[in-house]
Amino acid sequence: MAVTDLQVILIAVIINRIAGIYFATSFLSITPVCSLCVAMNYAAMDSSVWLTVAFTFDRFVAICCQKLKRKYCTEKTAAWVVGAVCTLSSVKISLWYFTFEPVYIINNIPRLCRLKIKFYTSLVWVAFEWIHQILTPCLPFILILLFNALTVRHIRSASRARRRLRTHSIGENQSDPEMEKRRNSIVLLFCVSGTLILLYMLHLVSFLYIRIAKLSYFSGSNFNKSHFILEESRYMLQFLSSCINPFIYAGTQSKFRVELKKGVKYPISLIVQILT
């Protein structure tokens, strides 16, 4: 998840946005390179979403399915799942590369990229975009809500049973480390999956608005148009979804906070040692 979030920041924010604005005439503006960057951008965001689904399912198995946990919750399985998700996302998103055409041709060199006109009229491309939107983010929304609901139901029933047993055995005032561990796990789960759903909701609304109103994705020069503002807002929230995860890890995981403090203190202590 951290790697895909970093890819989103690197490709979508730094290369596509910052470099595209401040280095508009660089090789990144050549149409094949521009199309590749956009496709890679979609692949990184798609991988980030589906790895969040995999993370939600992993927590569901770890908490609710003790027999399956021994086989599924292993480093080998995690590596296979991450590899499969990233590979399938890249294959699925690779078709986006062929949806773009040059905006300008300068000295026989195609520059910039925009969606082809047939993307809005061809039944094949319309079906492709609908399938893409169903697979990301509609299906992930449903799966995340389902796994979270099942996990919460299991934790609540297990908590009531465990509380009754501990009350009879050692009294009411004793803390329960196991329940604290489960509570921290569910806080992390809801923070990651909840922010994904909230920050991707505008993306779904924007897609439905453009398709139902029969508009095109913005490519003009009037930056005050409402659907341009809507599109840019959804991109901002999508990127924010990837940027915010490190802060969630820092806020909910004590081990992450400990390692972060070590990373901050190390260069300071190194400088002190050099000076003394």
Side-chain angles (χ1 to χ4, degrees):
M1 289 175 66
V3 171
T4 54
D5 290 337
L6 181 61
Q7 285 179 342
V8 172
I9 296 171
L10 177 63
I11 298 172
V13 179
I14 297 178
I15 295 179
N16 279 3
R17 292 286 169 164
I18 297 177
I21 293 173
Y22 293 101
F23 302 96
T25 58
S26 68
F27 78 98
L28 293 174
S29 66
I30 299 175
T31 300
V33 179
C34 175
S35 302
L36 180 62
C37 289
V38 174
M40 291 172 61
N41 179 17
Y42 280 122
M45 290 192 292
D46 195 80
S47 299
S48 179
V49 172
W50 277 101
L51 284 178
T52 303
V53 176
F55 169 73
T56 307
F57 179 73
D58 180 84
R59 294 299 85 200
F60 165 73
V61 172
I63 295 173
C64 305
C65 309
Q66 296 302 312
K67 292 183 179 179
L68 182 60
K69 175 183 176 181
R70 300 186 186 94
K71 296 181 180 180
Y72 181 81
C73 295
T74 63
E75 291 184 8
K76 183 178 180 180
T77 303
W80 276 104
V81 170
V82 171
V85 168
C86 294
T87 301
L88 291 175
S89 295
S90 299
V91 171
K92 178 170 73 74
I93 296 301
S94 62
L95 293 175
W96 278 102
Y97 177 83
F98 302 100
T99 63
F100 295 99
E101 63 182 5
V103 179
Y104 309 106
I105 297 179
I106 303 174
N107 296 327
N108 293 325
I109 300 177
R111 293 283 182 177
L112 303 179
C113 54
R114 65 184 176 190
L115 289 169
K116 298 176 180 177
I117 299 299
K118 67 178 181 180
F119 179 82
Y120 303 101
T121 57
S122 172
L123 291 178
V124 174
W125 286 118
V126 171
F128 166 73
E129 189 182 20
W130 274 101
I131 292 172
H132 171 71
Q133 297 297 332
I134 291 172
L135 292 178
T136 308
C138 294
L139 183 58
F141 284 3
I142 296 172
L143 293 175
I144 287 172
L145 292 174
L146 174 63
F147 291 137
N148 281 348
L150 294 174
T151 303
V152 170
R153 187 182 69 173
H154 176 85
I155 288 179
R156 290 187 63 183
S157 60
S159 298
R160 286 194 295 266
R162 189 176 179 88
R163 193 179 299 113
R164 286 194 297 267
L165 291 174
R166 288 180 63 85
T167 300
H168 289 302
S169 59
I170 61 177
E172 296 183 358
N173 297 325
Q174 296 292 329
S175 61
D176 189 348
E178 180 62 25
M179 293 311 301
E180 289 293 330
K181 183 178 179 181
R182 292 183 182 181
R183 191 176 296 112
N184 291 335
S185 180
I186 204 67
V187 167
L188 175 62
L189 176 66
F190 271 93
C191 286
V192 174
S193 57
T195 53
L196 172 71
I197 292 176
L198 289 175
L199 296 177
Y200 266 79
M201 191 61 69
L202 187 61
H203 167 81
L204 185 59
V205 172
S206 175
F207 161 73
L208 293 175
Y209 171 69
I210 288 173
R211 279 300 181 183
I212 293 174
K214 296 182 179 180
L215 301 172
S216 61
Y217 291 101
F218 185 81
S219 60
S221 58
N222 186 357
F223 299 104
N224 294 318
K225 285 188 176 181
S226 58
H227 70 282
F228 168 75
I229 298 173
L230 182 64
E231 282 187 57
E232 291 302 304
S233 298
R234 74 162 180 170
Y235 291 140
M236 179 185 68
L237 293 180
Q238 281 182 289
F239 302 154
L240 182 61
S241 175
S242 296
C243 297
I244 204 171
N245 280 341
F247 295 98
I248 294 175
Y249 302 146
T252 57
Q253 296 293 296
S254 58
K255 291 183 179 179
F256 189 95
R257 292 196 297 271
V258 169
E259 294 300 323
L260 184 62
K261 290 178 181 178
K262 289 181 180 178
V264 173
K265 290 179 180 178
Y266 177 77
I268 298 175
S269 60
L270 186 61
I271 293 173
V272 171
Q273 290 178 5
I274 294 173
L275 294 177
T276 56

